Structures are given as structure tokens and as C-alpha cells.
Amino acid sequence: MGFMSVLSFAHKLIGERLQPGDRAIDATAGTGQDTLFLARISGRRGQVYAFDIQSEALALTRKRLDREQEARLAEVTLLERSHAELEEALPGELRGTVGAIMFNLGYLPAEGADANVITLTDSTLAALKSSLRLLRPRGIITIVLYPGHAGGDAEANAVEQWAASLPASTGQAIVYRQIQKPTAPYLIAIEKR
Ligand code: SAH
């Protein structure tokens, strides 16, 4: 029992909106969990772009996709670049066409990975602003935030403030959070109008 995990809830919100053939972006590839999820939903005719600044994360993501051996996965492009460069890194024709963009902030949870490499407020906010331009109407952004580590709390506050201040004409922003555990990961989702 209990409520759905933050990650499962993000997947549910995206699963209800992303369609086969859609374009999607994983802004923080990490170990590739969300990249694989997006590639399954957008399917053979879909396109997924996954960003990470660590080659190690992209290698883990590639490995996860290769293990899948599913002919039905979308074509996945891995980009070793900061999500702050989301718009420069992607073909211009993507603007206004992307169905879903996922962020899972913090550090790479892999053995031997450097826990000091974390997502940072300024680049995260830049990427989120770009994401709104890349999304199609009714497209969705999900952001898993980690207020439990140093730096993560300030980043989470900044993202929450930014999302709360979006005009309703831009979209709807929601929070999914266990309010008895202020340091636990939580979710912000934005549906573009
Ligand atoms: N904290 C999550 C996983 C997050 S992985 C968990 O515990 O499950 C976050 C990924 O974001 C890491 O692999 C890290 O390398 C990547 N990252 C950090 N800064 C980035 C940036 N500016 N652009 C793209 N990826 C970045």
C-alpha cells in the first residue's frame, strides 16, 4: 500500500500524454531508466534525445537500451552536452513539437560515480525555460527534485518558485510530495497549454 513513488507518478503522467511516434527528451540521462521508458512509449516511429554531461552516464544508458533487444524502441540519440544547451543541441524544427521532457536532478547514482557532479540551479532553470519552448501544446515536463543533499535544496526551491510563477496561459504546474518528509525526493510536473 501507500502512494505511488515519485518516479512512478512521473511515468504515469507521461504515459497518459505521450503517444507512439512522438518526440521526447531525457534531460538527465543518468542510468537511462527514463530514456528507456520514453523510448518504449514513443516506439519505433518515435525519437528520443538523452542529455548528460558525464560519458559514464551515457554509457550506462546505451547499455540499458542495448539489453532491451526490443525492436519497438524509438531511435535514441545520446548527447554528451549540458541540458542548458538543449535548444542549440537539437534541430530547430523540434521547437513546439516535443511531447515530453523528463528531468531527474541530483547526482548519478552509480557505483564509482562522482557524487559531487550534481545538477545546478542556473543550468537547470535555463534548460526548463528551453523545455517550455520545445514542448508542443499539452506536452509535459516532469522534474524529480532532491532537497535532501547540499545544493539540491536550493535548486529545488528555485525550480519550485519558477514553476509557481508561470502564468496560467503558459501551462499548469503541480507538485507531488510526501509532506511529512521534507527531505524526500518530490515531483513537479508542468503541462504546457
Ligand atoms: N538523483 C537521481 C538520478 C539523477 S541522475 C537518482 O538518485 O535516481 C542526474 C544526472 O544528471 C547525472 O548523470 C549527471 O551527470 C547529469 N547532469 C548533471 N548536470 C547536468 C547538465 N547540466 N546537463 C545534463 N546532465 C547533467
Side-chain angles (χ1 to χ4, degrees), residues 27-28 30 52-54 57 81-83 104-109 119 146:
T28 50
D52 207 293
I53 50 170
Q54 297 190 79
R81 287 182 77 158
S82 169
H83 45 223
N104 192 343
L105 303 179
Y107 53 83
L108 175 63
T119 52
Y146 294 81

Side-chain angles (χ1 to χ4, degrees), residues 53-54 56 105-120 146 148-152 155:
I53 50 170
Q54 297 190 79
E56 187 188 354
L105 303 179
Y107 53 83
L108 175 63
E111 214 180 281
D114 185 351
N116 291 313
V117 181
I118 54 172
T119 52
L120 300 170
Y146 294 81
H149 70 81
E155 182 185 37

Side-chain angles (χ1 to χ4, degrees), residues 13-14 17 99-101 135 138-142 189-192:
L13 293 175
I14 288 183
R17 289 166 179 79
I101 306 179
L135 281 189
R138 244 79 59 206
I140 180 170
I141 301 173
T142 60
I190 300 163
E191 189 192 57
K192 184 169 166 175

Side-chain angles (χ1 to χ4, degrees), residues 14-187:
I14 288 183
E16 289 165 356
R17 289 166 179 79
L18 194 67
Q19 299 292 324
D22 270 351
R23 292 158 165 173
I25 299 170
D26 186 348
T28 50
T31 66
Q33 220 184 335
D34 292 336
T35 305
L36 176 60
F37 171 75
L38 294 169
R40 278 187 179 139
I41 298 189
S42 32
R44 222 173 0 195
R45 291 179 301 109
Q47 266 287 346
V48 175
Y49 300 89
F51 284 77
D52 207 293
I53 50 170
Q54 297 190 79
S55 57
E56 187 188 354
L58 295 174
L60 288 169
T61 299
R62 176 53 65 200
K63 213 159 127 194
R64 194 190 284 271
L65 293 167
D66 288 348
R67 262 204 313 267
E68 201 60 19
Q69 300 200 336
E70 263 184 43
R72 294 203 190 107
L73 289 187
E75 187 187 329
V76 179
T77 307
L78 303 180
L79 295 141
E80 193 175 332
R81 287 182 77 158
S82 169
H83 45 223
E85 298 162 17
L86 216 53
E87 285 173 291
E88 296 96 291
L90 296 171
E93 46 133 25
L94 244 66
R95 202 176 166 135
T97 72
V98 177
I101 306 179
M102 300 188 76
F103 289 79
N104 192 343
L105 303 179
Y107 53 83
L108 175 63
E111 214 180 281
D114 185 351
N116 291 313
V117 181
I118 54 172
T119 52
L120 300 170
T121 305
D122 286 353
S123 41
T124 298
L125 287 176
L128 287 168
K129 288 170 191 167
S130 290
S131 296
L132 278 178
R133 291 188 284 268
L134 286 162
L135 281 189
R136 61 165 158 75
R138 244 79 59 206
I140 180 170
I141 301 173
T142 60
I143 314 147
V144 178
L145 300 141
Y146 294 81
H149 70 81
D153 45 356
E155 182 185 37
N157 285 336
V159 169
E160 197 171 329
Q161 266 181 36
W162 170 79
S165 70
L166 289 173
S169 57
T170 299
Q172 257 188 346
I174 62 162
V175 178
Y176 179 69
R177 182 173 202 170
Q178 185 175 353
I179 51 181
Q180 305 118 300
K181 289 192 179 164
T183 58
Y186 68 104
L187 174 75

